[in-house]
Amino acid sequence: MAVGCHTGNCIHGSRSRQFEHSPDPEIKMSTFCSLSFSLSFGIQDDHRLSTSELERKYGTSISEGLSSAKAAEILVRDGPNLLTPPKATPEIVKFLKQMIGGFSILLWIGVVFSWISFGIQLAQGAESPFDNLYLGVVLALVVILTGIFAYYQEAKSTNIMASFSKMIPQQALVIRDGEKKELPADQLVVGDVVEIKGGDKIPADIRLIFAQGCKVDNSSLTGESEPQSRSCDFTHENPLETRNIAFYSTTCVEGTATGIVINTGDRTIIGRIASLTSGVGNEKTPIAIEIEHFVYLVAGVAVSIGVLFFIISVSMRYKILDSIIFLIGIIVANVPEGLLATVTVSLSLTAKRMAKKNCLVKNLEAVETLGSTSIICSDKTGTLTQNRMTVAHLWFDNQIYSADTSEDQTSKYAQPFDQSSPSWTALSKIVTLCNRAEFRPGQENLPIMKRVVVGDASETALLKFAEVILGDVMNIRAQKKKVAEIPFNSTNKFQLSIHETDDPNDKRFLLVMKGAPERILERCSTIMINGKEEPLDSEKAEAFQTAYMELGGMGERVLGFCHLYLPENEFPDTYLFDTDSMNFPTSNLCFVGLLSMIDPPRSTVPDAVSKCRSAGIKVIMVTGDHPITAKAIAKSVGIISATSETVEDIAKRLNIPVEQVNREATAAVVNGMELKDMSSQQLDEILCNHSEIVFARTSPQQKLIIVEGCQRQVRGVQGQFPVLSKLCLYSFHSGAVVAVTGDGVNDSPALKKADIGIAMGIAGSDAAKNAADMVLLDDNFASIVTGVEEGRLIFDNLKKTIAYTLTKNIAELCPFLIYIITSIPLPIGTITILFIDLGTDIIPSVALAYEKAESDIMNRRPRNKRKDRLVNEQLAVYSYLQIGALALGAFVTYFTVYAEQGFLPSTLLGVRVNWENNAINDFEDSYGQEWTKYQRTYLQWTGYTAFFVSITIQQVADLIIRKTRRNSIFQQGLFRNKVVWVGIFSQIGIALILTYGLGHVTALNFTPLRFQYWFVAVPFAILIWVYDEVRKLFIRRYPGSK
Amino acid sequence: MSKETKKPFRQSMTEWRQFIYNPNSGEFLGRTAKSWGLILLFYLVFYGFLAALFTFTMWVMLQTLSNDIPKYRDRISSPGLMISPKPDTALEFYFNKSDAQSYAEYVATLRKFLESYDDSKQSQNINCTPGRIFDQNDVAVKKACRFNLSELGQCSGKEDKTFGYSKGTPCVLVKVNRIIGLKPEGEPRIHCTPKEAGMVEINYFPPEGLIDLMYFPYYGKSLHAHYLQPLVAVQLAINSNSTKEEIAIECKILGSPNLKNEDDRDKFLGRIAFKVQMIE
């Protein structure tokens, strides 16, 4: 079978400018080109068959349909008419992944060791073997609970999506057994005869056998928003181009049609694209990479210290069993058990915040991905623009006027142009009357701009424009009764109607006409200037041409308007107008003016684009639209800044051919057709050398190529330093983080390929939403930028959280190391450590997620995936070796508790073996008193509690210093983040409860503590704060030093 | 990204070597010698400061402590009991009455334990008034009360050098843990009961296992240097038909309302349990 879309067609289409009322059908093919390459080979040639051949092929009859029995048979053979949802990971696998991911594996090792040592101790008949059993159980519980928690968080965010994709079961009108039946669409089988009317979704791939004024919106398939007409004629070799096939999931906009189902479910075109999508691999999100890196780092430290001290303790002649118990302690102390849960909570808090700002995040980790985005490939229609044609300019009385294009225009006073000219009055009449669009009834209370209109995009724009200025258009039309009408068609390229006037004294008919400006002008002999008809001489025609070119050059769709009052004597009020024979004049009319329309940018977008620019994010526009329109919009939103030029602009300015222009342009408008012939190297070169790029006339398929090209880019160099441009071509390994927006089904591969795919919530197809990581609820580009801001903030704040958490690791680890080396009574127990990690520290670390940005994060470049790690050497070293070392305070508390009870520090050194001996019950302290084992153990627990309390106190200071990384706390404001204070109070509150409330529960190893011990660590906490302030001062004074 | 290719092994080796020592910049492990020096110097100063700080705070803390008595004694409000000799294996005595070697260790321990109670060592100690708390709060130099070994009777080791082990009547000394300031009320005495009656007869020295109140209170190691805690000897006359059997014995301190002996968690608070097994 021949592939119908040959290059000739495409290029031909791309070069023709299009200001006509309706785009040339050939042009649309270009967008379909690459799609057909990939998919057409699988399609049968049903579009070529005649009706009777079809009936034979599918064993059906057009009048009778299939028999129910046969339909059931085929349904069993082919399965229901549904798209197989993408294979989801089984829930249990997701759950198990949470159970063994991250630190869990280390903790499981701890569990196993605890139980092994329990087994050994039990076999040896030791006194209290159950301690280790409990410890194992507690550790296992910790792993399982945090696993369940993470799983629950994940599931919650996935559920948001699930509710999204839930659709109302679709119904289809089918002829079966000679009767019309309403059936759920998933029951359709090949050979069914279905009827479609305007507003329906096409329930399967259908070969049309009857159609009346049928138009379909293929945008979900091709991205082309212009409705295409459908008939039963075989018009093209390629099944994707021919007009007699309608595709599953597209919408019938108007008209009716009957057709035979030729493909169902996954065998439909849409189904094939969906399967194409699942072929594109899912990349790990940047934050997942960061967390993995962090886990490796901490696990590395844990394992190496653990093994090191295992060796040390064995060589210090500790029993192997004891050494194993030490190992467990070291692992538990080193692993921040609560951290991953904290990260999840922080991310979901941000996700929630983003959802409020219309960014719905499907995958929690995508929250941060958005923050590290360095390139955004954005759609134009609907994302950057309002997705509705709006009148932007008027030309009458030889002058161009601008109209208001903002989203919320309400009254005529908002329109800035002069409405007093009689020419405007005439023009407004034509705009009102020569228009078939109507408001759907019952929307009187809605703002005009939000009302639903039946009619095509341009007519809608005109109707709303008229409604805003004149008010109640429907009433005006009713008063000026329409007596004849010729609707728009592509041969005439004009629309005409004849009306009575509402003036009872004026019996003339008014003929109004609108259409492609040059065609309208051809039919005119006069032109209205200030309400007076003047002959259309060459000078005035010239003026018209200039205005037409100017408006066209702004990428706007221009329409011409003219009218004629039919002389009363020739056309009395009884005159019968016949539109077929055209028994009325259609030439020598009076030209009144031009109106030009554009889909205007959303008002928030220019600001958002400039924010992106200052944030070092490159915004690339990818659109199926014409380059001129694309460029105009790009300029108006700032994607192409006012000062930059494309090669073509330079050529035009210098009046030289394009080829002679050296590569000095910073902006580029790349046509989809050029892109098709480009090697990936050429594409890289373009992406590298231009800071402002617009891809026009691209097919959704080409988006994938563009995304891949962007992902190869080195961040930060493109276009800014032309000298480096050569360089960036050769260092592919550091890819940019690319965000892509999309709505069509065809966008799904690109959405999936992108580091973060953003689907449109309103215009987006389900397939796009499924493939995306994020859904933009309001389809607004500006929302992406707020998302970026949130993403960057959370990255910064996670850094703080991690630094906060890591710091106390040293305070938890040192007791074990010192215990092993100097044989003092154990300063803090494993269970107590878990109470810090999973008790007092959780809320404060989450509280850091609420911290405001230190400086304008949108003035920074996006983070470099290679260099700006979540946890880097400096952070780890500073946390571990400097702030962590200040855990000293806890040791002071510990020694104080022992000394005040009778054990001076000198007595404690080296006592471990006797201290822990159950048989020694007359252990002598520094004052000659004798202690039983239990009395010592109880004192040891008091020591744990004191150590715990001190760590808590120092963590308060740690929390405060972690609020900022560069600025002084006083610059940041101590009280701005209220949640941090909630964290501090919760921390102290939990510690109080554990110490005094649960101090009598032996299993928890807490004892009530003398009140003064709470304050021993306070000077050290203050020292932490002062030290960190000094460090931050140095950082601010001498930035960049190592 | 997926486009990323694995670096060849050779290249990564070179990079590693570069990292370990970079001859161009003179960097060793990513830093120059000067940089490393500065870092080391910083940490030296930093940790030096921390060490000084730690030492200083500890010194301050120690200054607040008294040399004589600990600040708090709430963790030891009631004394534990302990026995001598104390076998290595958790308080279980195994010996052969006719094999001197089997109980030599016990005897040696007892002998050593009683050394400090020898009359020659007690020359400074005074004879106190029996039955009364010996309060010396007002006295700067605290006197220790004399504990005559003869009070331990057959268990004093004077007549029977084997403390009865050779005769099948082994002695075990029970002592009350020293606690500063502890003043027992009532008439404290040690009382031991075998788990199963009839296996053993128990004799106490001093009679009835009485602990004289004159040995209390204790004023601590530094003030009360020659203090000797009172002992109660428990002589177990094992019935001849009970040899080879393990006899469980529990001793408790009785007769004093402020000395606990029934704590759930502390098995040694005012009580002690041990086992004896003798073969002939």
Side-chain angles (χ1 to χ4, degrees), chain A residues 202-207 246-248 260-263 267-269:
Chain A
I202 312 285
D205 283 358
I206 291 170
R207 158 69 159 88
F247 298 104
Y248 182 37
I260 296 175
V261 173
I262 53 170
N263 280 317
R267 287 166 303 279
T268 57
I269 295 291

Side-chain angles (χ1 to χ4, degrees), chain A residues 728-745:
Chain A
C728 60
L729 285 173
Y730 300 108
S731 27
F732 288 164
H733 56 273
S734 167
V737 177
V738 181
V740 172
T741 71
D743 45 20
V745 174

Side-chain angles (χ1 to χ4, degrees), chain A residues 44 167 177 239 248 257 309 324 455 595 613 623 663 692 707 721 755 767 778 782 881 960 1024-1025 1037:
Chain A
Q44 56 277 68
M167 284 183 302
D177 305 323
Y248 182 37
F309 273 83
I324 290 177
L595 244 72
R613 201 172 286 267
T623 173
R663 202 185 291 133
E692 301 166 343
V707 169
F721 312 102
D755 297 279
D778 59 354
L881 296 185
I960 291 173
I1024 289 179
W1025 189 350
R1037 283 279 165 82

